[in-house]
Amino acid sequence: MSWLQAALQLLFPLQCPGCGREVGGKGAWCAGCVQELWSPRRLDVAERGMRHVERCQVLTGYQGAVRTLLHGLKFQGRRANAAPLSWLLSLADEAELAELVSPDVLVIPVPVSADRLAERGFNQVELLFGDWSRQQGLEWEAGTLLRRRPTTPQWELDRTQRRENIKGAFFVNAPATVQDRHILLVDDIVTTGRTLEECAGVLRQAGAESVRALALANG
């Protein structure tokens, strides 16, 4: 750490995004907040009618500071909110990523529409998972699975409307990229699982060997 960085940290100490306590690193959360919100679990894909997703792991709940940060990132263009959310993602250990991550897996983010990308300037899923993927030594591919049209935010709809809203919204523009590959599909939040299931169905139809999913939060 340079003297300038040390001086800035002394004058403007880094704070936990959950409670405001001083923390030791950029984007870090304090131990108390981590203990309160860290709740990794495997979702029951059969119960959710996810036929094309083999496994789905989530790491925290969509509540409190996590919800505030995600909402600001997605709907208010607060790009800086990605840092504390990515920090949470980095806490996932081998047990929590078991049967999801392997050396040959191809990581693919759920895409946003071209209109939303132009409006927002970024895909929040890429901000959250891109660096994490590379740090894990995993192959990252953000240009193969695309969204062909804008859709209404899923949280605004009921279960039936969500299914119709997302139907046919995605396509694979380079099937050879996913042919016979094991895919790890990543997203910021999963609620009913319809978005992940629709993406997984398209990937399997394009020739993917398997599709597993990892989401930061469960709403």
Side-chain angles (χ1 to χ4, degrees), residues 109-144:
V110 170
V112 298
S113 69
D115 289 348
R116 191 155 293 162
L117 184 61
E119 176 187 352
R120 188 183 296 159
F122 56 84
N123 178 353
Q124 76 282 354
V125 184
E126 293 187 34
L127 289 184
L128 296 178
F129 285 92
D131 286 344
W132 172 85
S133 210
R134 288 181 277 272
Q135 289 165 5
Q136 297 286 322
L138 304 176
E139 187 178 352
W140 172 262
E141 175 54 56
T144 293

Short mmCIF file of all heavy atoms in Angstrom, two decimals, residues 109-144:
data_model
loop_
_atom_site.label_atom_id
_atom_site.label_comp_id
_atom_site.label_asym_id
_atom_site.label_seq_id
_atom_site.Cartn_x
_atom_site.Cartn_y
_atom_site.Cartn_z
N PRO A 109 -22.76 -15.97 -18.73
CA PRO A 109 -23.70 -15.13 -17.96
C PRO A 109 -25.06 -15.03 -18.65
O PRO A 109 -25.15 -15.07 -19.88
CB PRO A 109 -23.00 -13.76 -17.96
CG PRO A 109 -22.25 -13.74 -19.27
CD PRO A 109 -21.81 -15.16 -19.51
N VAL A 110 -26.11 -14.88 -17.87
CA VAL A 110 -27.42 -14.56 -18.42
C VAL A 110 -27.30 -13.18 -19.06
O VAL A 110 -26.87 -12.23 -18.40
CB VAL A 110 -28.51 -14.59 -17.34
CG1 VAL A 110 -29.82 -14.02 -17.88
CG2 VAL A 110 -28.71 -16.01 -16.83
N PRO A 111 -27.67 -13.04 -20.34
CA PRO A 111 -27.48 -11.75 -21.02
C PRO A 111 -28.62 -10.77 -20.78
O PRO A 111 -29.72 -11.16 -20.39
CB PRO A 111 -27.43 -12.16 -22.50
CG PRO A 111 -28.35 -13.35 -22.57
CD PRO A 111 -28.17 -14.10 -21.25
N VAL A 112 -28.34 -9.50 -21.02
CA VAL A 112 -29.38 -8.47 -21.04
C VAL A 112 -29.63 -8.12 -22.50
O VAL A 112 -28.83 -8.43 -23.39
CB VAL A 112 -28.97 -7.22 -20.24
CG1 VAL A 112 -28.74 -7.57 -18.78
CG2 VAL A 112 -27.71 -6.57 -20.83
N SER A 113 -30.75 -7.47 -22.77
CA SER A 113 -31.07 -7.08 -24.14
C SER A 113 -30.14 -5.96 -24.60
O SER A 113 -29.55 -5.24 -23.79
CB SER A 113 -32.52 -6.62 -24.24
OG SER A 113 -32.70 -5.39 -23.56
N ALA A 114 -30.04 -5.78 -25.91
CA ALA A 114 -29.20 -4.72 -26.47
C ALA A 114 -29.69 -3.35 -26.01
O ALA A 114 -28.88 -2.46 -25.71
CB ALA A 114 -29.20 -4.80 -27.99
N ASP A 115 -31.01 -3.19 -25.93
CA ASP A 115 -31.56 -1.90 -25.49
C ASP A 115 -31.17 -1.60 -24.04
O ASP A 115 -30.78 -0.48 -23.71
CB ASP A 115 -33.09 -1.90 -25.61
CG ASP A 115 -33.56 -1.87 -27.05
OD1 ASP A 115 -32.72 -1.61 -27.93
OD2 ASP A 115 -34.76 -2.11 -27.29
N ARG A 116 -31.30 -2.62 -23.18
CA ARG A 116 -30.97 -2.41 -21.77
C ARG A 116 -29.47 -2.21 -21.58
O ARG A 116 -29.04 -1.43 -20.72
CB ARG A 116 -31.47 -3.59 -20.94
CG ARG A 116 -31.43 -3.34 -19.44
CD ARG A 116 -32.44 -4.19 -18.73
NE ARG A 116 -33.79 -3.79 -19.06
CZ ARG A 116 -34.87 -4.55 -18.87
NH1 ARG A 116 -34.73 -5.75 -18.35
NH2 ARG A 116 -36.06 -4.12 -19.19
N LEU A 117 -28.67 -2.91 -22.39
CA LEU A 117 -27.22 -2.74 -22.30
C LEU A 117 -26.82 -1.32 -22.70
O LEU A 117 -25.97 -0.71 -22.05
CB LEU A 117 -26.53 -3.76 -23.22
CG LEU A 117 -25.01 -3.79 -23.17
CD1 LEU A 117 -24.51 -4.14 -21.78
CD2 LEU A 117 -24.46 -4.80 -24.19
N ALA A 118 -27.47 -0.80 -23.74
CA ALA A 118 -27.17 0.56 -24.19
C ALA A 118 -27.61 1.58 -23.13
O ALA A 118 -26.90 2.56 -22.87
CB ALA A 118 -27.88 0.85 -25.50
N GLU A 119 -28.74 1.32 -22.50
CA GLU A 119 -29.25 2.24 -21.48
C GLU A 119 -28.41 2.21 -20.22
O GLU A 119 -28.07 3.25 -19.65
CB GLU A 119 -30.69 1.85 -21.15
CG GLU A 119 -31.32 2.66 -20.04
CD GLU A 119 -32.69 2.14 -19.63
OE1 GLU A 119 -33.21 1.25 -20.32
OE2 GLU A 119 -33.23 2.62 -18.62
N ARG A 120 -28.05 1.00 -19.77
CA ARG A 120 -27.34 0.84 -18.51
C ARG A 120 -25.84 1.00 -18.67
O ARG A 120 -25.15 1.47 -17.76
CB ARG A 120 -27.68 -0.54 -17.94
CG ARG A 120 -27.19 -0.80 -16.54
CD ARG A 120 -27.53 -2.22 -16.13
NE ARG A 120 -28.97 -2.43 -16.05
CZ ARG A 120 -29.54 -3.63 -16.10
NH1 ARG A 120 -28.80 -4.71 -16.22
NH2 ARG A 120 -30.85 -3.74 -16.03
N GLY A 121 -25.33 0.56 -19.82
CA GLY A 121 -23.90 0.64 -20.08
C GLY A 121 -23.12 -0.58 -19.66
O GLY A 121 -21.91 -0.67 -19.89
N PHE A 122 -23.78 -1.56 -19.05
CA PHE A 122 -23.10 -2.78 -18.62
C PHE A 122 -24.14 -3.86 -18.34
O PHE A 122 -25.32 -3.58 -18.13
CB PHE A 122 -22.26 -2.53 -17.36
CG PHE A 122 -23.05 -1.97 -16.20
CD1 PHE A 122 -23.77 -2.81 -15.34
CD2 PHE A 122 -23.10 -0.60 -15.95
CE1 PHE A 122 -24.50 -2.31 -14.28
CE2 PHE A 122 -23.83 -0.08 -14.89
CZ PHE A 122 -24.54 -0.93 -14.05
N ASN A 123 -23.66 -5.11 -18.35
CA ASN A 123 -24.45 -6.24 -17.88
C ASN A 123 -23.98 -6.52 -16.46
O ASN A 123 -22.83 -6.89 -16.23
CB ASN A 123 -24.23 -7.46 -18.77
CG ASN A 123 -25.00 -8.69 -18.29
OD1 ASN A 123 -25.60 -8.70 -17.22
ND2 ASN A 123 -24.96 -9.76 -19.08
N GLN A 124 -24.87 -6.36 -15.49
CA GLN A 124 -24.48 -6.50 -14.09
C GLN A 124 -23.95 -7.90 -13.78
O GLN A 124 -23.09 -8.08 -12.91
CB GLN A 124 -25.65 -6.16 -13.15
CG GLN A 124 -26.73 -7.20 -13.03
CD GLN A 124 -27.68 -7.20 -14.21
OE1 GLN A 124 -27.60 -6.34 -15.09
NE2 GLN A 124 -28.59 -8.16 -14.24
N VAL A 125 -24.42 -8.91 -14.52
CA VAL A 125 -23.95 -10.28 -14.28
C VAL A 125 -22.48 -10.41 -14.67
O VAL A 125 -21.70 -11.09 -13.99
CB VAL A 125 -24.82 -11.29 -15.05
CG1 VAL A 125 -24.39 -12.72 -14.72
CG2 VAL A 125 -26.29 -11.10 -14.72
N GLU A 126 -22.09 -9.74 -15.73
CA GLU A 126 -20.69 -9.77 -16.15
C GLU A 126 -19.81 -9.07 -15.12
O GLU A 126 -18.69 -9.51 -14.84
CB GLU A 126 -20.52 -9.13 -17.52
CG GLU A 126 -21.19 -9.93 -18.64
CD GLU A 126 -20.87 -9.38 -20.01
OE1 GLU A 126 -19.75 -8.87 -20.21
OE2 GLU A 126 -21.74 -9.46 -20.90
N LEU A 127 -20.29 -7.96 -14.57
CA LEU A 127 -19.52 -7.25 -13.54
C LEU A 127 -19.32 -8.13 -12.31
O LEU A 127 -18.25 -8.13 -11.70
CB LEU A 127 -20.24 -5.96 -13.13
CG LEU A 127 -20.26 -4.81 -14.12
CD1 LEU A 127 -20.92 -3.59 -13.49
CD2 LEU A 127 -18.87 -4.45 -14.61
N LEU A 128 -20.34 -8.88 -11.94
CA LEU A 128 -20.27 -9.70 -10.73
C LEU A 128 -19.41 -10.94 -10.93
O LEU A 128 -18.65 -11.33 -10.06
CB LEU A 128 -21.67 -10.12 -10.30
CG LEU A 128 -22.62 -9.00 -9.87
CD1 LEU A 128 -24.00 -9.58 -9.53
CD2 LEU A 128 -22.06 -8.24 -8.69
N PHE A 129 -19.55 -11.59 -12.07
CA PHE A 129 -18.96 -12.92 -12.25
C PHE A 129 -17.74 -12.98 -13.16
O PHE A 129 -17.03 -13.99 -13.14
CB PHE A 129 -20.01 -13.89 -12.80
CG PHE A 129 -21.02 -14.34 -11.79
CD1 PHE A 129 -22.21 -13.66 -11.62
CD2 PHE A 129 -20.78 -15.47 -11.01
CE1 PHE A 129 -23.15 -14.08 -10.69
CE2 PHE A 129 -21.72 -15.90 -10.08
CZ PHE A 129 -22.90 -15.19 -9.92
N GLY A 130 -17.49 -11.96 -13.96
CA GLY A 130 -16.39 -12.02 -14.92
C GLY A 130 -15.04 -12.23 -14.26
O GLY A 130 -14.31 -13.18 -14.56
N ASP A 131 -14.68 -11.34 -13.34
CA ASP A 131 -13.38 -11.45 -12.66
C ASP A 131 -13.33 -12.70 -11.80
O ASP A 131 -12.29 -13.37 -11.72
CB ASP A 131 -13.12 -10.21 -11.80
CG ASP A 131 -12.76 -8.99 -12.64
OD1 ASP A 131 -12.42 -9.17 -13.83
OD2 ASP A 131 -12.84 -7.86 -12.11
N TRP A 132 -14.44 -13.01 -11.12
CA TRP A 132 -14.49 -14.22 -10.29
C TRP A 132 -14.17 -15.45 -11.13
O TRP A 132 -13.40 -16.32 -10.71
CB TRP A 132 -15.88 -14.36 -9.67
CG TRP A 132 -16.10 -15.66 -8.96
CD1 TRP A 132 -15.75 -15.97 -7.67
CD2 TRP A 132 -16.70 -16.84 -9.50
NE1 TRP A 132 -16.10 -17.27 -7.38
CE2 TRP A 132 -16.69 -17.83 -8.49
CE3 TRP A 132 -17.24 -17.17 -10.75
CZ2 TRP A 132 -17.19 -19.10 -8.69
CZ3 TRP A 132 -17.75 -18.44 -10.95
CH2 TRP A 132 -17.72 -19.40 -9.92
N SER A 133 -14.74 -15.52 -12.31
CA SER A 133 -14.53 -16.65 -13.19
C SER A 133 -13.06 -16.81 -13.56
O SER A 133 -12.51 -17.92 -13.52
CB SER A 133 -15.35 -16.38 -14.43
OG SER A 133 -15.79 -17.38 -15.06
N ARG A 134 -12.45 -15.69 -13.92
CA ARG A 134 -11.04 -15.75 -14.31
C ARG A 134 -10.16 -16.09 -13.11
O ARG A 134 -9.16 -16.81 -13.25
CB ARG A 134 -10.64 -14.41 -14.94
CG ARG A 134 -11.25 -14.21 -16.33
CD ARG A 134 -10.84 -12.88 -16.96
NE ARG A 134 -11.67 -11.79 -16.50
CZ ARG A 134 -12.82 -11.42 -17.08
NH1 ARG A 134 -13.26 -12.07 -18.13
NH2 ARG A 134 -13.50 -10.39 -16.61
N GLN A 135 -10.50 -15.58 -11.93
CA GLN A 135 -9.73 -15.91 -10.73
C GLN A 135 -9.83 -17.39 -10.39
O GLN A 135 -8.91 -17.98 -9.80
CB GLN A 135 -10.23 -15.07 -9.55
CG GLN A 135 -9.85 -13.61 -9.65
CD GLN A 135 -10.64 -12.72 -8.71
OE1 GLN A 135 -11.42 -13.19 -7.88
NE2 GLN A 135 -10.45 -11.42 -8.82
N GLN A 136 -10.95 -18.01 -10.74
CA GLN A 136 -11.13 -19.44 -10.53
C GLN A 136 -10.43 -20.27 -11.61
O GLN A 136 -10.41 -21.49 -11.54
CB GLN A 136 -12.64 -19.78 -10.55
CG GLN A 136 -13.46 -19.14 -9.45
CD GLN A 136 -13.23 -19.80 -8.10
OE1 GLN A 136 -13.07 -21.01 -8.00
NE2 GLN A 136 -13.21 -18.99 -7.06
N GLY A 137 -9.89 -19.60 -12.62
CA GLY A 137 -9.24 -20.30 -13.72
C GLY A 137 -10.23 -20.94 -14.68
O GLY A 137 -9.89 -21.92 -15.36
N LEU A 138 -11.43 -20.37 -14.75
CA LEU A 138 -12.48 -20.94 -15.59
C LEU A 138 -12.61 -20.16 -16.88
O LEU A 138 -12.39 -18.95 -16.93
CB LEU A 138 -13.81 -20.93 -14.84
CG LEU A 138 -13.83 -21.64 -13.49
CD1 LEU A 138 -15.19 -21.46 -12.81
CD2 LEU A 138 -13.52 -23.13 -13.66
N GLU A 139 -13.02 -20.85 -17.92
CA GLU A 139 -13.23 -20.21 -19.22
C GLU A 139 -14.52 -19.40 -19.19
O GLU A 139 -15.57 -19.90 -18.81
CB GLU A 139 -13.29 -21.29 -20.31
CG GLU A 139 -13.34 -20.72 -21.72
CD GLU A 139 -13.34 -21.81 -22.78
OE1 GLU A 139 -13.16 -23.00 -22.42
OE2 GLU A 139 -13.54 -21.48 -23.96
N TRP A 140 -14.41 -18.17 -19.64
CA TRP A 140 -15.54 -17.22 -19.60
C TRP A 140 -15.99 -16.90 -21.02
O TRP A 140 -15.16 -16.60 -21.88
CB TRP A 140 -15.09 -15.96 -18.88
CG TRP A 140 -16.07 -14.81 -18.90
CD1 TRP A 140 -16.03 -13.74 -19.75
CD2 TRP A 140 -17.18 -14.60 -18.04
NE1 TRP A 140 -17.07 -12.88 -19.46
CE2 TRP A 140 -17.79 -13.38 -18.42
CE3 TRP A 140 -17.74 -15.31 -16.98
CZ2 TRP A 140 -18.91 -12.86 -17.77
CZ3 TRP A 140 -18.85 -14.81 -16.34
CH2 TRP A 140 -19.43 -13.60 -16.73
N GLU A 141 -17.28 -16.96 -21.27
CA GLU A 141 -17.81 -16.70 -22.61
C GLU A 141 -19.09 -15.86 -22.50
O GLU A 141 -20.13 -16.35 -22.08
CB GLU A 141 -18.09 -18.02 -23.33
CG GLU A 141 -18.74 -17.86 -24.69
CD GLU A 141 -17.96 -16.95 -25.61
OE1 GLU A 141 -16.77 -17.21 -25.85
OE2 GLU A 141 -18.54 -15.95 -26.06
N ALA A 142 -18.97 -14.58 -22.86
CA ALA A 142 -20.11 -13.67 -22.70
C ALA A 142 -20.81 -13.33 -24.01
O ALA A 142 -21.80 -12.61 -24.00
CB ALA A 142 -19.65 -12.39 -22.02
N GLY A 143 -20.33 -13.82 -25.14
CA GLY A 143 -20.91 -13.40 -26.41
C GLY A 143 -21.67 -14.46 -27.17
O GLY A 143 -22.06 -14.23 -28.32
N THR A 144 -21.91 -15.61 -26.55
CA THR A 144 -22.56 -16.71 -27.26
C THR A 144 -24.05 -16.81 -26.97
O THR A 144 -24.86 -17.03 -27.87
CB THR A 144 -21.87 -18.04 -26.91
OG1 THR A 144 -20.54 -18.01 -27.44
CG2 THR A 144 -22.60 -19.22 -27.51
#
